[in-house]
Amino acid sequence: MFHVVPVIDLREGGVVHARRGDRGRYPPLRSSLCAGNDPVAVVGGLLRLHPFHVVYAADLDAIQGTGNNRPALARLKAAFPDVGFWVDAGFRTADAVRGFVALGLGDAVLGSESLDGLAPLVMLKADPAWDRVILSLDFHDRFIGPPGLPDRPDLWPQRIIAMTLARVGSGEGPDWNRLAEIGRTKPQASLFAAGGVRNGDDLRNLAARGSAGALVATALHDGRIGGAELAALSR
């Protein structure tokens, strides 16, 4: 089954519209699915479109070291207890991941741009929290993160996100070459594409090429990907 994972980007308690990784310029989200940009309203609108099992949440304040959106995440988990949340909160250390997992708010997305070297992955690999870890391999024009990590699939968990930040919100289409390269490096991993997904054709193409799923935001909120296409993909 191919999994579409909707994305919400949290800043100062609200949802913003991510575009090309320029986080300082993200405006409040305007969506055809809901009124306003309150996180509970946004996720509620997404779930009316399709019964998503998982939502990806980027805590931009935590990633940038200016605060965090834990209260918003707690509200979301209380409002939608049957939804799993994948949360990128700028985790730098193994202890930060363990502490977050213990809160019960979701699984921890380790963005390579935030990691303090390879040590957190080495430590977590032998830890019970490992099954709650997703690794996001982050790229602009080139890889952002600890040198050597793209060549260490032994330190990658089962779930991998290929995150091309420059394509987020761009409508330019997935980064096919990068996805193929990561897929060859660890073919047994569950690989999720992130950045640039435009429409149902992109989703079907990703599924045909072996991706486990895709992270999507803009194309859901502006209606280019609708409920019928999502239902067909989830069969």
Side-chain angles (χ1 to χ4, degrees):
M1 183 183 297
F2 185 84
H3 299 276
V4 176
V5 179
V7 175
I8 60 170
D9 291 273
L10 299 170
R11 187 174 64 201
E12 298 179 353
V15 181
V16 295
H17 186 179
R19 292 173 179 165
R20 298 184 182 274
D22 187 3
R23 293 180 177 130
R25 297 178 179 271
Y26 291 176
L29 179 71
R30 297 180 65 182
S31 174
S32 64
L33 304 177
C34 63
N37 73 327
D38 179 80
V40 172
V42 173
V43 173
L46 288 164
L47 294 176
R48 286 190 293 273
L49 177 69
H50 182 75
F52 296 105
H53 297 294
V54 175
V55 172
Y56 175 105
D59 184 340
L60 301 181
D61 296 301
I63 291 170
Q64 295 181 291
T66 60
N68 68 69
N69 286 274
R70 294 258 173 108
L73 292 168
R75 288 178 59 222
L76 286 168
K77 193 60 183 175
F80 309 106
D82 296 329
V83 174
F85 289 90
W86 295 358
V87 180
D88 182 350
F91 303 110
R92 297 184 180 277
T93 66
D95 282 344
V97 171
R98 294 188 190 104
F100 177 80
V101 168
L103 294 174
L105 297 178
D107 290 357
V109 176
L110 274 66
S112 63
E113 65 171 333
S114 300
L115 282 176
D116 284 341
L118 300 179
L121 291 166
V122 173
M123 296 173 68
L124 287 166
K125 189 174 179 181
D127 191 281
W130 187 242
D131 289 339
R132 303 287 302 279
V133 168
I134 302 119
L135 176 63
S136 178
L137 295 172
D138 300 330
F139 299 84
H140 272 291
D141 295 331
R142 60 187 67 186
F143 177 67
I144 311 166
L149 180 56
D151 301 316
R152 290 293 306 273
D154 58 302
L155 294 179
W156 299 2
Q158 175 60 30
R159 293 170 293 177
I160 303 293
I161 297 168
M163 176 73 74
T164 303
L165 291 163
R167 295 194 181 213
V168 169
S170 71
E172 292 180 353
D175 193 338
W176 300 110
N177 291 336
R178 186 156 287 139
L179 287 163
E181 182 179 354
I182 293 171
R184 287 192 297 268
T185 302
K186 191 166 185 174
Q188 70 271 34
S190 297
L191 179 60
F192 294 81
V197 173
R198 296 165 292 193
N199 49 41
D201 287 341
D202 281 344
L203 295 176
R204 286 183 286 273
N205 203 348
L206 285 164
R209 296 186 188 205
S211 291
L215 276 58
V216 185
T218 302
L220 296 174
H221 292 292
D222 67 15
R224 282 179 288 141
I225 295 175
E229 286 177 308
L230 294 165
L233 281 161
S234 66
R235 293 192 186 114

